[in-house]
């Protein structure tokens, strides 16, 4: 990270660490603007800068959208590739932690719609985000904008993963189909994560918390025991599911209504976290859902209702 | 002349016969080419750029490209790769001074990067060194790769003459002969 001084950046702090490298919050000394610099290690690449990075960066450079952090600059030393991204101070994770659910409630619609607008843009360019979670959703208080980022480095550029069993490790926002061998890992995967984020904004806590219980048990207790009709993926892990007891699905709708979510919101959420990825709602269709009817955000009118934070 | 006498020849919808081919992305083809057209201006360099180079000239560029065409053929690469390589060379040379001895290295690395961007299987650095008769070391190749990526700011997705001629040939409903002639000319 020493190197960035030569390019007029000052390191503020480390904000992320992953298989592919590290992410630092930095200050551009010329403009005074904050940036996030993703440092990707390529020292062990005998063939030079790997193809996926060249193709991935080239693609990222073409993306330009209000709801996606901009890739400002790319530099390589031959040992590392540095990706310089636009950075905002607040992420949705800290926002949820710092505020009560009643003070978050009025902002849910605008935040959610901007996440979906950004995601629909990714998907229309055939790009998967692959690691959506509250800490990757950045919020700018001044301009009232929400921008999607990817500072986790758990995936490089949405390279499809093939898993060999039910994968317990990884982000709790990962959709169930992405944890299963030979399942199609595609755009519905991101929508699942948005559903999890949506539920978290309403209830103030993660829908599938890491810790005590494994992810599959949480899925079973929320949806009831999946069958191959409700979830085609169940076929692949019938052995694993066998050990889970039959149970009634939890009444999530009731809980969320109790927390003040309107009925159309409950309906939208249930379509975002549909177990079957083929029937899960798309980002674009979600934006046209009745839940957003009274807000000004849709793909055709990119003027978002400004949100005033407490 | 009466207006009715002029029979306007209808414009053939050249995409209609591809409507069922999902790989032809007929739905997006108009958007795609208007985007290419917009990006074309960023991908072109001044035809005069050679005058700013002190050690190399147009003739050497021509020799380099002839050689790259041979290399391209030997590795059995896609046409897009060749056009992209040449675009990378020109954009690089318009921004960096290069001595005669390193010109072949520039060509080699441009082809390596174009392969990494475009091809499914990429020739290994070792083979590229061999084909240049071991004129350069692996270290030199990788250093040039970094320099070129930084100079070009990792911008690899540029529309080359290849994408346009493909479209024009389709519009002209060309036969094999016309296709070969046009590719020879560009």
């Amino acid at each position: 990270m020493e190197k960035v001084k030569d390019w007029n950046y000052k390191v503020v702090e480390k904000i992320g660490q992953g298989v592919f490298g590290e992410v630092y919050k930095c200050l551009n000394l010329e403009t005074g603007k904050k940036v996030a610099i993703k440092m990707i290690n390529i020292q062990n690449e005998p063939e030079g800068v790997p193809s996926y990075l060249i193709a991935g960066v080239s693609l990222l450079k073409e993306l330009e959208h209000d709801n996606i952090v901009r890739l400002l600059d790319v530099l390589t030393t031959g040992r590392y590739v540095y990706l310089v991204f636009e950075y905002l101070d607040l992420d949705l994770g800290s926002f949820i932690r710092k505020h009560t659910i009643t003070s978050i409630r009025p902002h849910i619609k605008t935040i959610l719609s901007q996440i979906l607008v950004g995601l629909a843009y990714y998907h229309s360019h055939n790009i998967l985000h692959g690691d959506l979670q509250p800490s990757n959703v950045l919020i700018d208080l001044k301009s009232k904008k929400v921008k999607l980022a990817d500072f986790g480095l758990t995936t490089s550029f949405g390279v499809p993963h093939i898993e060999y069993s039910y994968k317990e490790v990884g982000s709790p926002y990962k959709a169930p189909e992405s944890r299963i061998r030979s399942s199609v890992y595609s755009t519905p995967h991101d929508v699942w994560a948005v559903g999890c984020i949506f539920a978290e904004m309403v209830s103030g806590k993660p829908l599938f918390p890491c810790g005590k219980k494994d992810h599959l048990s949480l899925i079973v207790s929320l949806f009831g025991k999946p069958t191959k009709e409700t979830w085609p993926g169940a076929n692949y892990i019938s052995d694993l599911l066998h050990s889970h007891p039959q149970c009634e699905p939890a009444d999530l709708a009731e809980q969320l209504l109790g927390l003040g979510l309107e009925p159309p919101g409950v309906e939208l959420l249930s379509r975002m976290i549909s177990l079957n990825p083929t029937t899960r709602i798309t980002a674009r269709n979600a934006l046209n859902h009745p839940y957003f009817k009274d807000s000004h955000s849709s793909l055709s009118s990119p003027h978002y209702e400004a949100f005033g934070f407490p | 002349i009466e207006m009715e006498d002029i029979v306007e020849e209808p414009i053939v919808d050249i995409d209609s016969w591809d409507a069922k081919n999902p790989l032809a992305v007929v739905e997006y083809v108009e958007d795609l080419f208007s985007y290419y057209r917009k990006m074309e201006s960023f991908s072109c360099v001044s035809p005069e750029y050679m005058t700013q180079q002190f050690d190399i000239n147009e003739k050497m560029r021509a020799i380099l490209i002839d050689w790259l065409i041979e290399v391209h053929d030997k590795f059995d690469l896609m046409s897009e790769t060749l056009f992209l390589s040449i675009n990378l060379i020109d954009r690089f040379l318009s921004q960096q001074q290069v001595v005669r001895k390193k010109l072949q290295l520039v060509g080699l690395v441009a082809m390596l990067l174009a392969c990494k961007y475009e091809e499914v299987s990429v020739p290994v650095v070792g083979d590229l060194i061999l084909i240049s008769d071991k004129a350069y070391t692996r270290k030199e190749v990788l250093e040039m790769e970094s320099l070129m990526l930084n100079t070009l700011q990792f911008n690899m997705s540029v529309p080359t003459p290849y994408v346009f001629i493909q479209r024009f040939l389709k519009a002209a409903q060309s036969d094999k002969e016309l296709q070969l002639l046009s590719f020879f000319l560009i």
Side-chain angles (χ1 to χ4, degrees):
Chain A
M1 230 21 218
E2 282 299 295
K3 195 76 196 157
V4 299
K5 278 187 199 141
D6 304 351
W7 306 316
N8 248 334
Y9 292 109
K10 187 181 150 227
V11 180
V12 180
E13 58 176 333
K14 190 167 165 180
I15 50 173
Q17 164 95 53
V19 199
F20 290 90
E22 291 160 352
V23 191
Y24 292 87
K25 182 170 141 185
C26 298
L27 200 65
N28 184 331
L29 294 173
E30 239 167 85
T31 62
K33 285 213 168 108
K34 291 189 193 85
V35 295
I37 301 187
K38 211 166 168 172
M39 186 170 95
I40 299 169
N41 191 341
I42 53 162
Q43 282 183 87
N44 302 321
E45 301 284 349
E47 295 298 312
V49 183
S51 320
Y52 74 84
L53 263 179
I54 290 174
V57 170
S58 202
L59 189 65
L60 280 180
K61 290 213 75 168
E62 284 184 78
L63 300 181
E64 203 167 353
H65 192 276
D66 256 6
N67 297 113
I68 291 174
V69 293
R70 186 112 179 82
L71 176 60
L72 301 168
D73 213 352
V74 196
L75 295 150
T76 176
T77 54
R79 300 171 64 198
Y80 292 96
V81 174
Y82 300 85
L83 306 182
V84 183
F85 288 97
E86 171 186 17
Y87 188 72
L88 310 174
D89 258 328
L90 186 66
D91 69 80
L92 185 59
S94 340
F95 181 70
I96 294 173
R97 277 193 304 275
K98 283 180 199 153
H99 295 84
T100 60
I101 51 171
T102 33
S103 61
I104 296 172
R105 199 183 299 149
H107 310 303
I108 293 179
K109 238 176 241 190
T110 40
I111 296 176
L112 186 66
S113 68
Q114 291 192 55
I115 296 175
L116 286 167
V117 171
L119 191 59
Y121 180 79
Y122 268 130
H123 290 174
S124 71
H125 285 72
N126 251 322
I127 299 171
L128 302 179
H129 185 286
D131 193 25
L132 270 177
Q133 46 179 302
S135 59
N136 277 333
V137 177
L138 303 183
I139 299 175
D140 183 26
L141 292 168
K142 267 187 227 137
S143 67
K144 324 285 187 216
K145 282 264 165 63
V146 171
K147 288 173 194 264
L148 302 181
D150 176 16
F151 300 137
L153 289 147
T154 49
T155 51
S156 49
F157 282 99
V159 184
H161 287 274
I162 296 167
E163 309 297 351
Y164 292 98
S165 61
Y166 197 83
K167 198 183 169 201
E168 280 300 339
V169 292
S171 156
Y173 300 86
K174 254 188 162 39
E177 72 272 13
S178 66
R179 298 164 182 263
I180 291 187
R181 168 172 57 115
S182 67
S183 56
V184 187
Y185 179 87
S186 185
T187 52
H189 167 260
D190 285 334
V191 177
W192 172 277
V194 178
C196 295
I197 293 171
F198 185 14
E200 188 163 338
M201 286 195 283
V202 176
S203 69
K205 48 181 193 289
L207 186 57
F208 301 108
C210 323
K212 279 184 208 148
K213 274 172 124 185
D214 58 295
H215 191 266
L216 188 58
S217 305
L218 293 169
I219 293 273
V220 172
S221 55
L222 182 60
F223 295 96
K225 195 161 171 170
T227 63
K228 65 176 191 288
E229 282 76 36
T230 57
W231 183 25
N235 253 343
Y236 298 103
I237 51 162
S238 47
D239 291 354
L240 263 172
L241 279 173
H242 197 71
S243 62
H244 286 270
Q246 205 57 256
C247 74
E248 283 297 305
D251 204 345
L252 184 65
E254 200 67 38
Q255 287 173 38
L256 294 172
L257 287 168
L259 288 163
L261 184 62
E262 307 133 67
V266 175
E267 209 272 334
L268 174 61
L269 177 62
S270 72
R271 299 196 53 194
M272 285 177 157
I273 54 169
S274 147
L275 267 184
N276 187 346
T278 54
T279 58
R280 201 172 296 154
I281 196 165
T282 63
R284 201 180 281 244
N285 287 340
L287 282 163
N288 293 322
H289 192 275
Y291 176 60
F292 294 117
K293 245 190 181 153
D294 55 340
S295 77
H296 302 291
S297 37
S298 83
L299 272 183
S300 48
S301 59
H303 304 287
Y304 316 105
E305 205 174 306
F307 46 89
F309 285 91
Chain B
I1 310 165
E2 298 280 321
M3 279 304 281
E4 290 95 274
D5 289 348
I6 306 166
V7 186
E8 246 186 67
E9 214 180 307
I11 296 169
V12 185
D13 178 9
I14 56 169
D15 292 312
S16 58
W17 61 83
D18 269 335
K20 289 214 172 76
N21 177 4
L23 288 178
V25 287
V26 171
E27 209 185 328
Y28 296 111
V29 87
E30 294 284 332
D31 292 345
L32 202 60
F33 276 89
S34 56
Y35 182 67
Y36 282 161
R37 196 77 183 92
K38 200 179 99 198
M39 292 308 288
E40 192 186 17
S41 55
F42 299 102
S43 72
C44 293
V45 293
S46 150
E48 306 284 308
Y49 80 80
M50 250 331 161
T51 54
Q52 291 155 27
Q53 291 279 352
F54 64 90
D55 203 28
I56 53 173
N57 55 39
E58 275 98 351
K59 212 171 158 195
M60 292 174 198
R61 177 189 177 275
I63 295 168
L64 174 71
I65 287 168
D66 278 346
W67 177 72
L68 280 179
I69 291 171
E70 274 177 56
V71 175
H72 178 264
D73 188 47
K74 200 161 246 167
F75 282 115
D76 211 7
L77 304 170
M78 297 191 298
S79 311
E80 286 93 330
T81 310
L82 180 63
F83 286 97
L84 180 58
S85 310
I86 297 168
N87 175 279
L88 300 181
I89 294 170
D90 287 333
R91 276 162 60 212
F92 182 76
L93 292 182
S94 68
Q95 293 178 59
Q96 295 275 357
Q97 287 288 339
V98 171
V99 293
R100 205 171 301 185
K101 251 172 65 191
K102 295 278 179 178
L103 186 60
Q104 196 186 4
L105 180 61
V106 170
L108 212 56
V109 169
M111 184 145 288
L112 174 66
L113 286 176
C115 285
K116 282 182 176 178
Y117 181 74
E118 204 75 67
E119 300 279 338
V120 178
S121 68
V122 179
V124 294
V125 175
D127 284 348
L128 289 173
I129 294 170
L130 276 182
I131 214 154
S132 67
D133 213 14
K134 294 188 184 157
Y136 310 102
T137 64
R138 173 177 293 267
K139 192 166 167 269
E140 282 177 298
V141 171
L142 296 185
E143 275 170 12
M144 180 57 82
E145 185 186 45
S146 294
L147 179 63
M148 192 175 288
L149 283 171
N150 285 335
T151 308
L152 305 180
Q153 271 281 295
F154 279 72
N155 284 333
M156 299 281 147
S157 39
V158 289
T160 59
Y162 182 78
V163 299
F164 292 111
I165 199 95
Q166 284 283 50
R167 186 74 181 155
F168 298 154
L169 285 170
K170 191 177 181 186
Q173 301 174 34
S174 61
D175 55 14
K176 195 81 196 161
E177 195 183 311
L178 180 61
Q179 286 173 19
L180 290 172
L181 176 66
S182 355
F183 281 120
F184 176 73
L185 291 175
I186 59 168

